[in-house]
Amino acid sequence: MAQPAPAAAITHRLVPSPAGRIHVVEQGSGPLVLLVHGFPESWYSWRRQLPVLAAAGYRAVALDVRGYGRSSKPTDVAAYRMLELVEDNVAVVHALGERTAVIVGHDWGATIAANSALVRPEVFRAVGLLSVPYAPRGGPRPGEVFARMGGEEEFYVSYFQEPGRAEAEIEPDVRGWLAGFYAALSGGTMPPAGAPDPHFVSRGGRLRDRFPAGRLPAWLDGDDLDVYAAEFERTGLTGALNRYRNMDRDWEDLAGFDGAPVTQPSLFVGGALDASTTWMADAIAAYPATLPGLMSSHVLDGCGHWIQQERPDVVNEILTGWLAALPA
């Protein structure tokens, strides 16, 4: 009796990019699918997608965004602006010997993926967005918008934008902070309705003051948490947080794309309990104009923010079905 083919091995490599180097983790062969993580994560966030995409006939590649993991960490805050991250993604595609790729992102990675498709459509032929909807550049300067949110409280984005401030909260206890942050935004462990919102900080307080204590979400065991914590204990959080510190620069850099749609074939998957989905409901409603190539859109009941880790089987089924339906 014929034996099943062995699973494709996972390989790690460093490839050149404008950042210096980007760490990529690769499994499988076939059309290239580039997977871009969000905050505060790493390539490891795609550990449950890599083997499934490889088995479905794709070259699945998850990267560490600049500032994370084994990728380069420039010291200049402005080095983390969106256009720099787009060019890192282009460099990865070319370093892997490919001309085009499908790009899929989660959280900040979704925004990076959408802008990669917007700015470099000749490289990124389709785009999948997880958790964070696409919203075109427009409106007032983002820093001004975030500063007005929350009333007497401070929105977490504004909190993250001040250099060194969030680092002082997180870095003395990286593992504990990450555990609380992941739990605060996960279906099943997030604070109940009516409790203080963990996306906001009391004046003079800390973000972690509103995290649920002593509970890990079902998708995260102690070993997984150790992987994330070890990376950030080694690298610190500044590179990751510098993404938030460039939102006004992005608004300036992308002025030429004001209101522009992403026209490639696209996919959106969100969690019904995720603030990114509920707060940005208008962005989702605008998809006929902003994502005219949208092939399917899904909002998963009972799911929080960490969607491909909370619901790996459902997300994998959606991803492989969408990829199979893409034009050749």
Side-chain angles (χ1 to χ4, degrees):
M1 179 180 296
Q3 297 297 313
I10 286 181
T11 60
H12 293 249
R13 71 169 90 175
L14 299 173
V15 300
S17 83
R21 67 178 184 278
I22 295 293
H23 171 227
V24 300
V25 181
E26 179 177 354
Q27 190 167 10
S29 59
L32 176 60
V33 180
L34 189 63
L35 305 170
V36 187
H37 67 81
F39 175 89
E41 302 179 84
S42 75
W43 76 266
Y44 191 72
S45 304
W46 301 102
R47 63 195 177 281
R48 296 187 175 102
Q49 283 67 53
L50 287 166
V52 173
L53 295 180
Y58 298 95
R59 186 182 186 184
V61 175
L63 56 80
D64 281 336
V65 174
R66 71 164 67 186
Y68 289 82
R70 293 171 58 194
S71 293
S72 290
K73 299 160 190 65
T75 57
D76 183 7
V77 174
Y80 295 84
R81 64 209 309 155
M82 182 59 68
L83 291 180
E84 296 280 357
L85 303 181
V86 168
E87 291 309 309
D88 283 344
N89 291 339
V90 172
V92 168
V93 172
H94 293 162
L96 294 173
E98 305 285 353
R99 296 178 59 190
T100 64
V102 174
I103 189 167
V104 178
H106 168 256
D107 182 76
W108 261 123
T111 305
I112 295 167
N115 280 285
S116 296
L118 178 68
V119 175
R120 297 299 300 268
E122 78 283 6
V123 176
F124 299 104
R125 62 185 182 89
V127 58
L129 308 176
L130 274 57
S131 295
V132 175
Y134 174 62
R137 186 263 191 212
R141 185 178 294 271
E144 298 171 1
V145 175
F146 298 131
R148 293 195 297 266
M149 294 179 66
E152 291 302 311
E153 299 181 331
E154 185 176 14
F155 192 46
Y156 80 100
V157 174
S158 297
Y159 183 72
F160 283 169
Q161 285 178 333
E162 183 180 334
R165 186 177 175 199
E167 289 93 325
E169 173 184 336
I170 302 168
E171 290 178 357
D173 177 22
V174 169
R175 191 179 192 277
W177 194 92
L178 290 175
F181 191 70
Y182 296 147
L185 304 186
S186 293
T189 53
M190 64 176 55
D197 190 332
H199 295 89
F200 293 86
V201 181
S202 298
R203 297 295 174 180
R206 306 171 303 170
L207 201 65
R208 72 181 302 160
D209 294 338
R210 299 184 175 187
F211 294 169
R215 297 181 63 192
L216 288 181
W219 59 267
L220 183 74
D221 63 25
D223 290 340
D224 294 328
L225 180 58
D226 286 343
V227 171
Y228 286 120
E231 289 291 79
F232 288 112
E233 286 167 350
R234 180 174 57 81
T235 65
L237 272 291
T238 296
L241 289 162
N242 279 345
R243 176 81 291 274
Y244 292 92
R245 296 163 185 164
N246 278 278
M247 298 178 76
D248 283 350
R249 290 188 182 93
D250 298 339
W251 183 81
E252 295 168 357
D253 290 345
L254 294 168
F257 294 91
D258 192 79
V262 172
T263 59
Q264 294 95 315
S266 57
L267 165 73
F268 175 72
V269 189
L273 301 180
D274 184 6
S276 299
T277 301
T278 57
W279 288 349
M280 299 185 70
D282 288 348
I284 296 172
Y287 278 169
T290 61
L291 284 181
L294 185 69
M295 296 171 62
S296 65
S297 180
H298 311 260
V299 177
L300 307 185
D301 289 340
C303 187
H305 182 67
W306 317 103
I307 191 163
Q308 78 270 32
Q309 298 181 86
E310 291 188 48
R311 300 288 177 83
D313 293 342
V314 175
V315 169
N316 288 342
E317 182 178 359
I318 292 170
L319 279 176
T320 53
W322 173 66
L323 289 167
L326 288 175

